[in-house]
Amino acid sequence: MAISKRVVLHFPPRLVEQPIIYQLVKDYNLVLNILKASVTPKEEGLMVLELSGAREDYDRGIQYLQETGVRIQSLGQNVMRNDARCTHCGACVVICPTGALALDPKTRMVNFYEDRCTACELCVLPCPPRAMEVHF
Amino acid sequence: MAKTIAEINEKIRQGQAVVVTAEEVIGLVAKKGVARAAREVDVVTTGTFSPMCGSGAFFNLGHSKPRIKVGGGRAYLNDVPAYTGIAAVDVFLGATAIPDDDPRNRVHPGPFNYGGGHVIEELVARRDVRLVVAAYGTDCYPRKRLETWINIKDLNEAVLFNMRNAYQNYNVAVNLSDKTIYTYMGELKPDLGNANYCSAGQLSPLLNDPYYKTIGIGTRIFLAGGIGYVAWHGTQHNPDVLRSPGGVPRRGAGTLAVIGDLKQMNPRWLAGTSMLGYGCTITVGIGIPIPILSEEILRYTAVKDEEIFAPIVDYAEAYPQRSPDILGEVSYGELKGGRISVQGKEVLTASLSSYPRAVEIANMLKDWIIKGEFLLTEPVVPLPGVEAGITFKPLKERPIEE
């Protein structure tokens, strides 16, 4: 049975220089579509992938990733904004790596573009009124 | 054209006062010129909504039966310790207080999820709060333990009394080190990863009255959705700093101590706040009306973001070590553009002060005045000005020898 899932991968700095994604394709026959990638030598890497393939290959591929030390998050996990708490200060806009939280230059309100959110959760704790919430 | 506050109040009572916000007055002056705008406008309203640690509240809890002397004992509101070193059933809760068992920065950066600011917000939201007291017991106050729910509506007094709010200008914080740092100016990413600022700029109260010509002790203000007053100059009030030719300070300068009835306030304008790795605080909404008594005062209120400059400070080294070095100056116009240049590098900017909420406050205050619900006050005493000879003193340590 073929499946297709979106996942967020966090690469610890020590893994950033290893060809892990290549192995996913070669050894596990997975088709991947890179939705977002931010990889810098010696820093934590972030990648959002759509992985497609046979169920068995997918499970083995995920197991391989876990064994290498990659942290995996499912995109079924959602970050949402509690609009009653958001004060639109804008502290989050330099934290969000994908531009999902961005200022409207006219109104100076913070817009939350859920389609750009990769649920990396980086915004959750730095938000001063704690308006960003993780829902499962 | 000189108007008086009494004349302006008469116009407010008759529903004829012309009131504009400190944002709207900029366009008005550009269109009509200072002289005509000063004749037409009676009041300019300002606003700011920012984390302000110098905040807290006094509560009179009422006397239990039998009586308990909270004064000199220990008191907790939702596990957050309150100051009890005053009268028998009065306590003070500061915005930055945190529970005794909060993990703090033991695992850095600590989250600081809940503190005094959050308790104040819950009280203002009319939610029940748990009071726990341990006292030593006296002949006239025999009780030693008390655990009860309290609600703001049942307290005799609940008074917000903030010793330092509404800073007239502030630093722009950056990080020159190679590690992320967590500060009261927010998360600062390494190697100039971002630049955080905290002022409403052209809408901020004291930036519109740079020499404190109208704002003084006794000035009636919008305080967190209710009516409050300027009680004193705030702590660290430091008027004699570098100023632009128009008079606007280019460094942190004046501050205000403000007071008001917490029972009138609204949690929309008094929000418990967590600064990751730093601590708890509260975000406070303040709006101050500026009576247009002269062309000079009108000219001050027409200041715009492009004309207000703030110093860029490294919070990894210069700030903690109290070094006076700055990395340059930048205008709020540039800061609000989203990116500035620091040491030749383009740096993204973020604000901790909510400009949309500052606009909302200025507009609410404007509406109150237009409807005749809010009259202006003559200050009882002006705030200390540039000529007052105030210097901002550091702590001079003197070793204690036994």
Side-chain angles (χ1 to χ4, degrees):
Chain A
M1 192 182 66
I3 62 163
S4 177
K5 279 194 179 176
R6 289 181 171 199
V7 291
V8 184
L9 307 181
H10 297 268
F11 295 82
R14 66 183 163 84
L15 291 182
V16 164
E17 287 171 38
Q18 294 182 30
I20 289 171
I21 299 302
Y22 165 77
Q23 302 291 346
L24 271 188
V25 178
K26 183 169 165 284
D27 297 348
Y28 302 94
N29 306 315
L30 294 174
V31 176
L32 55 91
N33 182 20
I34 301 177
L35 300 172
K36 181 193 152 50
S38 164
V39 182
T40 316
K42 293 179 186 143
E43 286 179 22
E44 185 184 274
L46 174 83
M47 203 173 234
V48 182
L49 293 180
E50 188 166 87
L51 287 176
S52 314
R55 168 103 233 176
E56 192 185 324
D57 288 338
Y58 176 85
D59 289 343
R60 281 172 51 235
I62 290 290
Q63 195 186 345
Y64 159 72
L65 287 174
Q66 280 168 335
E67 281 165 6
T68 58
V70 174
R71 188 158 61 84
I72 304 167
Q73 264 176 302
S74 154
L75 259 189
Q77 184 172 305
N78 244 334
V79 170
M80 289 165 91
R81 179 165 73 181
N82 179 343
D83 287 327
R85 279 213 76 76
C86 174
T87 64
H88 297 274
C89 66
C92 53
V93 301
V94 288
I95 304 287
C96 176
T98 64
L101 289 159
L103 271 192
D104 179 324
K106 266 221 178 77
T107 61
R108 306 211 64 79
M109 306 270 274
V110 179
N111 289 327
F112 180 39
Y113 302 100
E114 287 179 46
D115 53 332
R116 292 187 208 161
C117 175
T118 58
C120 72
E121 300 179 31
L122 285 177
C123 57
V124 175
L125 287 174
C127 168
R130 294 286 158 80
M132 303 307 294
E133 297 172 352
V134 183
H135 292 254
F136 295 92
Chain B
M1 70 137 267
K3 289 177 234 178
T4 65
I5 289 176
E7 285 164 3
I8 293 172
N9 277 340
E10 194 44 44
K11 288 179 85 174
I12 295 173
R13 278 192 209 96
Q14 292 170 2
Q16 289 168 356
V18 177
V19 188
V20 297
T21 69
E23 190 181 67
E24 292 163 341
V25 77
I26 296 167
L28 198 73
V29 167
K31 208 167 93 190
K32 300 189 169 180
V34 170
R36 206 173 134 198
R39 271 197 306 277
E40 290 180 10
V41 175
D42 298 303
V43 185
V44 171
T45 59
T46 63
T48 182
F49 188 63
S50 299
M52 302 191 198
C53 291
S55 305
F58 284 97
F59 304 102
N60 178 279
L61 303 167
H63 290 268
S64 61
K65 187 180 176 181
R67 294 182 198 262
I68 184 165
K69 184 177 182 289
V70 183
R74 293 184 190 281
Y76 294 87
L77 292 161
N78 281 356
D79 295 329
V80 179
Y83 181 74
T84 64
I86 36 178
V89 294
D90 286 350
V91 296
F92 175 80
L93 180 64
T96 68
I98 47 176
D100 292 343
D101 61 357
D102 185 282
R104 294 165 163 80
N105 266 335
R106 226 160 283 149
V107 178
H108 189 258
F112 298 99
N113 288 323
Y114 194 87
H118 299 87
V119 179
I120 293 172
E121 178 190 335
E122 294 216 57
L123 282 163
V124 172
R126 307 289 185 272
R127 286 199 281 273
D128 283 347
V129 163
R130 208 172 55 252
L131 168 70
V132 175
V133 180
Y136 51 81
T138 73
D139 290 340
C140 48
Y141 288 84
R143 197 156 164 190
K144 293 184 178 169
R145 298 283 306 171
L146 174 64
E147 290 194 30
T148 179
W149 292 105
I150 60 166
N151 191 290
I152 192 169
K153 66 182 193 313
D154 304 318
L155 301 177
N156 289 311
E157 285 82 21
V159 180
L160 190 73
F161 192 177
N162 302 345
M163 266 318 291
R164 178 165 75 248
N165 279 180
Y167 233 119
Q168 187 178 27
N169 213 344
Y170 214 83
N171 293 342
V172 179
V174 296
N175 174 8
L176 290 182
S177 79
D178 58 5
K179 283 201 273 299
T180 297
I181 60 172
Y182 300 88
T183 74
Y184 68 86
M185 292 296 286
E187 180 176 331
L188 301 174
K189 293 190 277 185
D191 304 315
L192 293 168
N194 53 302
N196 285 9
Y197 64 100
C198 190
S199 171
Q202 63 192 16
L203 259 183
S204 183
L206 289 176
L207 289 172
N208 282 280
D209 185 9
Y211 290 114
Y212 330 114
K213 302 244 175 198
T214 70
I215 300 171
I217 296 173
T219 296
R220 183 177 291 139
I221 64 172
F222 171 110
L223 181 55
I227 285 177
Y229 295 87
V230 173
W232 202 253
H233 61 275
T235 53
Q236 294 181 193
H237 180 72
N238 183 29
D240 193 12
V241 300
L242 185 67
R243 288 175 184 254
S244 296
V248 176
R250 300 173 85 96
R251 302 286 181 272
T255 65
L256 298 176
V258 299
I259 191 165
D261 179 6
L262 201 62
K263 294 187 184 192
Q264 292 177 20
M265 297 180 194
N266 183 312
R268 181 169 174 79
W269 305 110
L270 212 48
T273 298
S274 302
M275 299 309 298
L276 181 64
Y278 179 76
C280 291
T281 183
I282 193 163
T283 301
V284 183
I286 293 180
I288 303 188
I290 297 178
I292 302 305
L293 306 175
S294 67
E295 285 183 15
E296 183 194 1
I297 289 168
L298 188 275
R299 197 175 305 117
Y300 292 136
T301 64
V303 72
K304 35 182 197 287
D305 285 331
E306 290 70 22
E307 301 161 341
I308 309 172
F309 291 84
I312 304 165
V313 176
D314 171 33
Y315 273 64
E317 186 64 26
Y319 185 85
Q321 298 308 325
R322 218 187 70 202
S323 144
D325 300 349
I326 65 167
L327 302 167
E329 289 181 314
V330 65
S331 76
Y332 285 96
E334 295 168 86
L335 286 164
K336 288 180 183 174
R339 53 195 67 203
I340 60 171
S341 172
V342 187
Q343 295 187 333
K345 188 181 171 186
E346 186 175 86
V347 183
L348 297 180
T349 62
S351 173
L352 296 174
S353 178
S354 171
Y355 193 77
R357 289 288 190 92
V359 172
E360 204 179 324
I361 290 169
N363 276 315
M364 280 174 76
L365 183 54
K366 174 179 156 180
D367 285 349
W368 290 357
I369 298 170
I370 288 173
K371 286 189 196 139
E373 295 166 1
F374 185 107
L375 293 174
L376 309 190
T377 53
E378 196 90 52
V380 182
V381 182
L383 299 174
V386 175
E387 70 300 335
I390 293 178
T391 54
F392 185 19
K393 292 187 282 289
L395 176 65
K396 222 185 265 168
E397 292 181 63
R398 289 178 294 134
I400 299 168
E401 280 151 28
E402 297 292 320

